[in-house]
Amino acid sequence: MPLNDLIGYFEQLLTGAVITVELAFSGYALALTVGVAWALLRRLGNPVVTAVWRVYGSIFMGVPSVLVIFLLYYGGSAILGGLLGLIGLRARIDVTPFQAGLAALTIVQGAYAAEVVSGAMRNVPRGQFEAARALGIRPYQAWWYVIMPQVARLALPGLTNIWISVLKDTALVALAGLNEIVARSRTAAGATKEPFLFFIAAALFFIVISAATLKFSARLERRLDRGVARPAVAGGRA
Amino acid sequence: MKFDPALALHSLSAMLHGLLVTIALAALVVALGLAISIPLAVARNSQRPVLAWPAAAYVIFFRGTPAMILLFLVYFGFGQVFGARDGLLGALFSNAFLCAVIGFTLNHSSYVTEIVRGGLLAVPKGLEEAAAALGIEPRDVFLRIRLPLAIRYGLKAYQNEVILFTKATAVVSVITVVDLTAVANNIFYDTYDPFTPLLTAAAFYWVLVNVIRFGLARFDGWLNVHLVADEQRDRVVMVRADGAVPRPIATAGISEAAE
Amino acid sequence: MSAAPLASEAERPVAVAIRNVDKWFGNFQALKQIDLDVHKGEKIVICGPSGSGKSTLIRCINRLEKHDSGRIVVNGIEVSDSARAILDVRREVGMVFQQFNLFPHLTILENCMLAPRLALSLPRPKAEALAMRYLARVHVAEQAGKYPAQLSGGQQQRVAVARALCMEPRIMLFDEPTSSLDPELIKEVLEVMEELAADGITMLCVTHEMGFARRVADRCAFMDRGEIVEIAPARRFFDAPNSPRLQAFLSQILH
């Protein structure tokens, strides 16, 4: 197998990696937004919101992401056409694999993000809200300066996990035709008859990003934990 | 966007066949995964590098890699090397279903190892010391005290992983295994109707996931009849992706997102 | 400073012999040349400030910590790395912890039965009878079917005492047994410990409960910064402390 060809296929892999990263970043950003939005909405305690959440959460956390991707890709243009039809527009909008994947990731991982952020909010001690109110700080200031930083700290491990999930779920979009790194590794492996080379290369791509994420997350966690009292270690020497 | 009940009914038997394949795959992998994970978790926690490092490498590789790549590696990679040969390995790697079992087991077991490891680390040292001080041998301390408690602490995270994995089996059609999703796709290709088969399949998965959730919740209730006011209960063993020992975070909701 | 026994005690057999024991945690020396003879049936209370090495010392006796030099001999068994020796020592010695450390997933009865069944190979009915006997001794027999989380702190600690007693040890170690208890629950545990002491068991107790020490201890030892600064019969320890450090400590504790 001529080296030039191999290098060519690796370049292909790289292009695919870029697509993967683009999808992962945008998917994560949107999922985070959806998650925070849901968490804030749920805090209102409104029964309609709660009911809608329970259906939304149950469905999208109870169904394989791949099916959501398929539904949005194959059925996406029909869905969009139908929605537009509701407001009187007749148009045909085609959905690309990337868009279907992005939407699916946003909806599904957004649900998980909502759980993480909700849980984090619930675990900020009640006293923090009360102290802020007692000091006369305005609500939105309290949220911004006092509450959200603590939510961030508590939510960090869960949100890190969600990023890694999003990253790995981008591979599923290959099944809808997106030519990202996993799809390209399969093409390359088939063409060059070197499955181990290309699949392990693709695997390493994901592993390296995961590892880098965890290092970054650990450092961020240490920084956010400044000033947090640690429980005394049991079994201290007397 | 329309749902065709007639089509749904008509394809029911095919879908059930697919569902059976999905369940068989999931059950096998869950069983194998659990069996491998306990010794792996012990190795991971071990002080001896000869045990700890390979275990760590196993977890880092198989956990960081998307399941699809692992399936490809096993089916195309090992399948290519061993598949054409006679004998056991040949039979093993030329069978798509078995390749799926191997690939998914490698992936799933790496997650479960971290959950078991987290559970083991969450058992307070004082309990082990008390057991040792009573003259109980190390092996019994592990089997009677540490492991049972590790299971209880890790159960929520384990439940989440089993459910996530069951949903992840949906990609197995990439290596020609005809599971529920593959059946749904086939019907779609035949009928040009994406919604009916995909939504029906989604419904099946949803039921399956909730059956698992319900069953494990019952098991959890039975195991934890004693944890009326145990403060340890509040320490959710939420396993971080790097397997770091979880900080005690009292939570009720974060558990859903445990990965 | 060596523990010089009074003439009348010299004839009593030694249950725990500690000679020239040092222990380091990294660069920090937790125990410095400890010499102590605990006689059979003797009750010794060890007190001192945090970090003085009191817990470390008694944890070395049943090998929960390893001493780095010197010798510890328990009823004739040398405490060493030998797995057999460790198990034998732990059957001679029972321990009660500050954090109770009851097994949360087992009932009270099962907590007490576990060690006799596993370590002494007692059949279930015998282990159960044994456990009920000791649970009755600490006055919690009626809680046998409950789980630890359902009991108060004082009850849990008494169960912990019963659990240790079920192995029928000849020596009992107490590591600040009442330090985690709410004030009103301390008394019930101390009463159980006093009843035990009256029965003649050898006891080594790390505690801040000076009233208990006065009533129960034969000798009291004061540890500070890894050394036994002073050890004396209880009367003299409290009424006429020799060393200035002990005098300072007592004046702070007894207010």
Side-chain angles (χ1 to χ4, degrees):
Chain A
M1 178 95 269
L3 189 60
N4 274 337
D5 286 4
L6 274 179
I7 293 182
Y9 278 110
F10 269 107
E11 282 171 357
Q12 284 290 305
L13 235 61
L14 221 54
T15 315
V18 170
I19 298 178
T20 295
V21 169
E22 279 174 357
L23 181 56
F25 267 128
S26 18
Y28 186 64
L30 287 177
L32 217 55
T33 313
V34 166
V36 172
W38 266 119
L40 288 172
L41 275 174
R42 284 167 73 186
R43 269 196 79 83
L44 294 175
N46 181 314
V48 173
V49 168
T50 308
V52 173
W53 162 255
R54 292 180 86 186
V55 173
Y56 175 95
S58 178
I59 291 179
F60 291 110
M61 293 194 285
V63 158
S65 307
V66 133
L67 283 182
V68 179
I69 293 174
F70 283 158
L71 274 165
L72 288 176
Y73 179 62
Y74 294 118
S77 40
I79 297 176
L80 284 176
L83 284 174
L84 289 175
L86 284 177
I87 55 174
L89 286 174
R90 300 209 52 176
R92 179 174 177 78
I93 303 185
D94 281 321
V95 175
T96 70
F98 188 95
Q99 290 162 345
L102 184 59
L105 283 174
T106 305
I107 295 174
V108 172
Q109 296 294 343
Y112 286 107
E115 285 284 80
V116 171
V117 178
S118 278
M121 280 186 188
R122 243 174 289 150
N123 282 294
V124 175
R126 210 121 223 280
Q128 297 292 308
F129 295 88
E130 292 167 353
R133 263 215 307 274
L135 284 167
I137 301 177
R138 283 203 280 278
Y140 73 87
Q141 286 174 324
W143 272 98
W144 187 249
Y145 287 103
V146 178
I147 306 301
M148 284 317 270
Q150 300 193 50
V151 171
R153 182 174 62 84
L154 290 170
L156 188 60
L159 292 179
T160 306
N161 285 346
I162 290 181
W163 158 249
I164 294 181
S165 287
V166 167
L167 179 68
K168 288 194 275 184
D169 274 4
T170 58
L172 302 175
V173 190
L175 296 186
L178 184 66
N179 210 1
E180 43 71 76
I181 189 173
V182 177
R184 290 182 193 235
S185 70
R186 182 175 176 184
T187 314
T192 64
K193 301 278 186 265
E194 295 279 4
F196 289 106
L197 182 61
F198 288 102
F199 290 136
I200 293 185
L204 286 174
F205 166 78
F206 286 98
I207 293 173
V208 166
I209 297 191
S210 294
T213 301
L214 292 170
K215 276 247 153 25
F216 175 71
S217 169
R219 199 174 301 171
L220 195 55
E221 197 173 331
R222 271 199 297 275
R223 191 158 179 280
L224 290 178
D225 276 352
R226 275 178 320 181
V228 175
R230 296 316 210 112
V233 176
R237 329 163 198 143
Chain B
M1 174 172 164
K2 45 198 184 328
F3 183 81
D4 184 350
L7 177 58
L9 215 57
H10 187 77
S11 42
L12 216 54
S13 94
M15 290 234 168
L16 281 172
H17 272 108
L19 181 62
L20 232 60
V21 172
T22 295
I23 292 179
L25 177 62
L28 238 81
V29 171
V30 164
L32 279 171
L34 201 53
I36 304 180
S37 301
I38 296 181
L40 262 175
V42 173
R44 199 88 159 90
N45 278 345
S46 165
Q47 306 287 37
R48 310 214 290 258
V50 70
L51 286 177
W53 289 5
Y58 180 98
V59 167
I60 290 175
F61 187 83
F62 292 115
R63 201 179 150 148
T65 307
M68 256 172 79
I69 298 185
L70 289 175
L71 290 177
F72 288 151
L73 258 174
V74 175
Y75 186 68
F76 293 122
F78 288 103
Q80 199 164 297
V81 172
F82 295 113
R85 302 195 190 157
D86 295 322
L88 186 62
L89 283 177
L92 190 64
F93 287 106
S94 53
N95 181 321
F97 184 82
L98 290 177
C99 286
V101 170
I102 294 173
F104 275 122
T105 301
L106 291 169
N107 186 255
H108 175 65
S109 65
S110 65
Y111 283 91
V112 177
T113 298
E114 291 300 270
I115 291 172
V116 173
R117 178 170 171 262
L120 284 172
L121 289 173
V123 177
K125 201 150 197 294
L127 293 180
E128 288 175 64
E129 286 188 346
L134 284 166
I136 300 177
E137 280 178 35
R139 192 187 60 130
D140 285 326
V141 172
F142 182 78
L143 289 176
R144 298 298 206 109
I145 306 295
R146 226 169 152 216
L147 197 56
L149 285 172
I151 291 173
R152 283 158 172 84
Y153 294 152
L155 196 58
K156 195 76 202 203
Y158 181 69
Q159 173 192 305
N160 288 334
E161 167 53 27
V162 169
I163 288 174
L164 281 168
F165 158 68
T166 304
K167 291 190 287 170
T169 59
V171 300
V172 77
S173 53
V174 296
I175 56 171
T176 78
V177 176
V178 183
D179 72 323
L180 178 56
T181 302
V183 167
N185 271 331
N186 288 341
I187 298 175
F188 160 48
Y189 296 148
D190 285 340
T191 64
Y192 294 97
D193 173 8
F195 295 110
T196 307
L198 290 176
L199 285 174
T200 313
F204 273 118
Y205 277 108
W206 186 88
V207 169
L208 181 58
V209 162
N210 280 289
V211 166
I212 295 174
R213 198 189 294 276
F214 184 73
L216 280 174
R218 287 293 294 264
F219 181 55
D220 182 71
W222 176 80
L223 272 187
N224 287 323
V225 65
H226 60 284
L227 289 175
V228 168
D230 189 344
E231 71 200 68
Q232 280 303 322
R233 186 74 167 121
D234 293 340
R235 302 174 68 175
V236 168
V237 180
M238 184 181 75
V239 186
R240 288 178 28 135
D242 66 351
V245 179
R247 296 176 288 134
I249 306 177
T251 109
I254 292 187
S255 48
E256 286 292 18
E259 182 71 19
Chain C
M1 176 164 173
S2 66
L6 298 181
S8 57
E9 289 175 4
E11 298 100 52
R12 285 155 66 188
V14 171
V16 180
I18 302 173
R19 289 270 175 284
N20 302 330
V21 163
D22 292 314
K23 165 134 190 86
W24 278 272
F25 287 108
N27 284 336
F28 171 72
Q29 187 166 12
L31 295 175
K32 299 175 187 164
Q33 288 294 297
I34 304 288
D35 265 316
L36 180 61
D37 276 345
V38 182
H39 299 273
K40 184 156 181 268
E42 194 176 15
K43 340 273 176 228
I44 297 193
V45 166
I46 306 177
C47 61
S50 279
S52 54
K54 331 187 278 291
S55 281
T56 309
L57 179 58
I58 64 171
R59 284 161 65 92
C60 283
I61 294 176
N62 66 355
R63 203 70 175 173
L64 287 181
E65 304 281 359
K66 293 188 186 186
H67 58 282
D68 292 317
S69 71
R71 298 181 66 201
I72 302 180
V73 181
V74 174
N75 278 343
I77 311 165
E78 171 114 25
V79 175
S80 68
D81 277 330
S82 143
R84 185 74 252 161
I86 295 178
L87 281 177
D88 287 338
V89 166
R90 288 174 178 171
R91 283 175 206 175
E92 299 286 313
V93 172
M95 190 165 199
V96 175
F97 298 82
Q98 181 179 343
Q99 306 290 344
F100 329 146
N101 287 333
L102 293 182
F103 307 129
H105 60 304
L106 302 176
T107 64
I108 301 301
L109 188 60
E110 287 165 352
N111 259 275
C112 293
M113 285 169 58
L114 188 69
R117 288 187 60 210
L118 291 178
L120 301 176
S121 304
L122 237 56
R124 186 179 268 274
K126 280 210 173 147
E128 197 168 318
L130 180 74
M132 285 308 295
R133 185 152 52 95
Y134 282 110
L135 284 174
R137 182 118 172 254
V138 301
H139 319 300
V140 285
E142 69 281 0
Q143 313 283 359
K146 291 199 183 158
Y147 286 95
Q150 296 170 288
L151 268 53
S152 75
Q155 290 169 320
Q156 290 188 48
Q157 191 62 303
R158 285 187 276 147
V159 170
V161 173
R163 180 178 66 173
L165 290 176
C166 281
M167 288 296 285
E168 311 209 288
R170 279 178 269 205
I171 301 165
M172 279 290 274
L173 303 176
F174 293 87
D175 188 359
E176 301 208 36
T178 57
S179 297
S180 291
L181 292 173
D182 288 336
E184 67 274 13
L185 300 173
I186 293 182
K187 184 160 170 229
E188 63 194 68
V189 174
L190 289 180
E191 277 172 357
V192 159
M193 288 167 65
E194 288 180 42
E195 286 168 24
L196 257 174
D199 281 341
I201 198 168
T202 312
M203 271 171 64
L204 218 60
C205 188
V206 173
T207 185
H208 298 301
E209 295 290 327
M210 292 299 130
F212 168 80
R214 262 202 190 185
R215 285 192 298 279
V216 168
D218 293 316
R219 282 191 288 163
C220 291
F222 173 65
M223 281 187 74
D224 191 14
R225 280 174 261 176
E227 300 173 307
I228 297 184
V229 173
E230 183 167 339
I231 180 166
R235 245 304 172 64
R236 195 172 56 162
F237 185 87
F238 286 105
D239 293 341
N242 260 337
S243 98
R245 275 194 270 171
L246 175 55
Q247 290 168 2
F249 179 75
L250 284 176
S251 73
Q252 281 179 323
I253 268 226
L254 303 167
H255 46 254

